[in-house]
Amino acid sequence: MSKAYVLVVDDEPDIRELVREILEDEGYAVATAESADQARSLLRERTPQLVLLDIWMPGDDGISLLREWAQGGVCPFPVVMISGHGTVETAVEATRHGAMDFVEKPLSMGKLLATVEQALNAPDAVAAPAGAPAAVVEPVGRSSAMRDLREQAERLAGTDSWVLISGEPGSGRKCLGRYIHSLSERRAGPLVEVAAGTIAGQSAAHELFGQVRGDQVIPGRLEAAAGGTLILDGAADLDAEAQTRLASAIDAGSFQRVGGSERLSLDVRMIAISRRDLTAEAHAGRFRPDLAYALSVIPLTVPPLREHAEDIPELVVFQVDRLVEREQLGYRRFTVAAQNRLRNHHWPGNVQELHNLVQRLLVLGDGIDIEVGEVEAALSERPAAAGGDSDWPQALALPLREARERFERDYLQRQLQRADGSVAQLARLAGMERTHLYRKLRALGIDPREGGESGGGRA
């Protein structure tokens, strides 16, 4: 399987062919277009995982084409602009519409390859309105429950069977889905996630199947996931109309974009996630029985943290190391007494709750050792403690900029948890435009790909 499918849009034949040869030598599948119209035509046939887009072309320019692709709020694939005559204003406009980077003419092939690889591996590489997948982690724990879960996931990864992952919120369900994809034959293909509860009615059909409006093609999630895996989070919340369309697509093995006539192959592995039993939902008349059976070929259940509490010391070490590395927080260690207190907590929020508590103690605490009294105080705080009243005495002693950043970080982390990891839903809750929201999350060191289930595994 090729590393990725790249579309090169440039009106200069020499540039197009040179870039094609270089990328194909690196294992990429490449298509080229000399104009915006030709690019639109190629998009009808297949959705790229990356577009290299010239700014200055006859007919529609690259910025106009980028703006057209980004009408849904976020461009459905990463775009790197190519320009020999760029200005600061042009760069700002392109960035505002979702361009990830620029390469200048004359092209440096070394820089081009580095930019392509960086764009494809970026957090929003398979850009989509509901956010992009997180880094893959292996489920952590030496308990029999977690060993069994890893073994089941590894066996499943060797097949192309569809999987239904159930479990309580915060238990690491999406982490498990990403882990299965990372071990599968489809791991070189895209991993696309969609939160079913954030789309409804016609927007659900557009989101999943894409749409055609005149000459404009807007790919959907199924198309973006071709050759890879689609994680359908909150499957039980899928809109009735979307259930019908999806069941029909599964039965036919193909689907049409809304407003289009071309049939596209349904070449995805579906990993559905649900906190509710889809079969029970079908018996109650709230879910299509045929779709419930199709999504539930192989059921997996992630155990709640209270059922494998013996893994908490290992999880704590993992969380500390990850937060120190990824967010540059100061290192602290939990004493044995503190770890024992954590083992005896009920953990209604599961691994996500543990992650939040560890993060809070690293950020707000002093000294190397985290003693049992500090853990007890943190556990006794109300659920919204991150950013709650108990934090204000320390926050008020900070400079205004640092206090504002702390509030924004706590606020957005809490809202991201409420949104169950959906950046689209987070944007609605926070009242922010999604492009600006992505920049804010990156500036604050918040990884939207955690999806409300941070660190249920090992990096």
Side-chain angles (χ1 to χ4, degrees):
M1 183 179 292
S2 62
K3 293 166 69 173
Y5 170 54
V6 181
L7 174 61
V8 180
V9 186
D10 196 301
D11 66 325
E12 297 184 49
D14 292 344
I15 294 290
R16 290 197 308 273
E17 292 311 308
L18 178 61
V19 173
R20 178 206 287 272
E21 290 175 6
I22 294 295
L23 293 181
E24 287 182 342
D25 284 346
E26 294 295 317
Y28 296 100
V30 183
T32 62
E34 63 181 3
S35 65
D37 285 342
Q38 192 174 6
R40 293 185 184 104
S41 177
L42 288 171
L43 278 172
R44 289 192 183 92
E45 300 173 6
R46 185 178 179 186
T47 302
Q49 288 159 265
L50 174 67
V51 175
L52 300 177
L53 178 61
D54 190 17
I55 292 179
W56 307 111
M57 299 184 295
D60 291 335
D61 61 88
I63 299 293
S64 298
L65 193 57
L66 176 62
R67 186 187 303 116
E68 176 183 304
W69 291 336
Q71 282 186 359
V74 176
C75 191
F77 33 73
V79 176
V80 172
M81 307 303 295
I82 302 174
S83 176
H85 308 284
T87 64
V88 173
E89 291 78 10
T90 303
V92 169
E93 184 175 3
T95 301
R96 189 172 71 246
H97 292 298
M100 298 187 69
D101 208 341
F102 279 78
V103 289
E104 295 180 344
K105 297 178 182 178
L107 296 177
S108 161
M109 288 302 116
K111 181 179 179 181
L112 175 67
L113 288 174
T115 302
V116 166
E117 184 175 355
Q118 183 178 14
L120 287 166
N121 292 324
D124 43 2
V126 184
V136 173
V137 291
E138 175 185 310
V140 168
R142 301 179 187 179
S143 64
S144 60
M146 296 308 290
R147 286 201 309 269
D148 290 346
L149 189 65
R150 282 194 299 271
E151 290 172 3
Q152 291 179 69
E154 289 160 8
R155 284 199 302 270
L156 281 176
T159 76
D160 211 29
S161 299
W162 288 19
V163 182
L164 174 65
I165 301 176
S166 59
E168 296 179 4
S171 58
R173 297 165 299 172
K174 274 186 281 190
C175 289
L176 181 63
R178 296 165 189 149
Y179 180 60
I180 292 171
H181 170 78
S182 74
L183 299 176
S184 74
E185 292 297 320
R186 291 177 174 265
R187 59 185 174 274
L191 173 60
V192 177
E193 299 176 10
V194 59
T198 64
I199 54 177
Q202 192 67 7
S203 67
H206 291 164
E207 190 90 7
L208 287 172
F209 302 99
Q211 59 179 308
V212 176
R213 294 192 306 213
D215 290 334
Q216 183 183 4
V217 174
I218 303 175
R221 301 303 184 83
L222 290 172
E223 192 172 347
T229 301
L230 180 77
I231 294 181
L232 180 63
D233 189 21
D237 298 324
L238 194 63
D239 178 84
E241 180 182 343
Q243 289 183 36
T244 300
R245 283 180 174 268
L246 184 55
S248 176
I250 292 170
D251 183 58
S254 62
F255 63 93
Q256 290 176 290
R257 304 183 187 101
V258 177
S261 57
E262 181 183 1
R263 296 206 68 86
L264 306 174
S265 174
L266 185 64
D267 179 21
V268 299
R269 181 190 201 168
M270 188 84 72
I271 297 180
I273 295 173
S274 179
R275 65 185 181 277
R276 302 200 299 270
D277 186 324
L278 293 187
T279 302
E281 292 293 297
H283 288 159
R286 293 187 292 265
F287 203 84
R288 286 184 62 99
D290 53 349
L291 183 57
Y293 298 139
L295 296 178
S296 308
V297 175
I298 305 290
L300 277 182
T301 301
V302 181
L305 183 54
R306 60 184 173 274
E307 292 184 4
H308 58 109
E310 63 266 40
D311 292 324
I312 286 176
E314 187 177 353
L315 279 164
V316 166
V317 171
F318 167 77
Q319 298 286 3
V320 170
D321 290 346
R322 198 175 190 209
L323 287 165
V324 169
E325 178 183 351
R326 296 180 62 173
E327 299 192 19
Q328 288 75 55
L329 299 181
Y331 175 78
R332 304 186 73 201
R333 59 173 175 252
F334 286 73
T335 65
V336 171
Q339 293 180 51
N340 190 56
R341 176 63 185 90
L342 295 177
R343 286 190 57 170
N344 288 285
H345 183 61
H346 187 64
W347 298 111
N350 293 295
V351 177
Q352 178 63 43
E353 183 186 355
L354 177 64
H355 168 87
N356 292 347
L357 181 134
V358 171
Q359 184 178 41
R360 190 156 68 247
L361 290 172
L362 294 185
V363 170
L364 301 179
D366 296 314
I368 287 291
D369 288 335
I370 299 175
E371 302 286 357
V372 66
E374 192 175 353
V375 168
E376 194 69 60
L379 289 173
S380 66
E381 292 177 0
R382 57 192 176 89
D389 295 341
S390 63
D391 292 347
W392 282 112
Q394 296 182 57
L396 291 173
L398 295 172
L400 176 61
R401 181 181 60 81
E402 292 182 25
R404 183 175 63 244
E405 286 184 0
R406 175 179 291 186
F407 170 78
E408 289 179 339
R409 182 180 293 107
D410 290 342
Y411 171 81
L412 290 173
Q413 285 175 329
R414 176 62 56 180
Q415 296 289 43
L416 186 62
Q417 187 175 0
R418 283 183 60 199
D420 202 19
S422 166
V423 177
Q425 179 68 5
L426 174 60
R428 284 190 280 272
L429 291 172
M432 297 175 67
E433 192 273 326
R434 266 181 283 179
T435 301
H436 176 63
L437 177 59
Y438 272 113
R439 295 195 188 101
K440 174 63 71 174
L441 292 173
R442 284 195 289 267
L444 294 173
I446 300 171
D447 189 346
R449 302 170 303 163
E450 295 295 346
E453 297 188 353
S454 302
R458 179 183 291 106

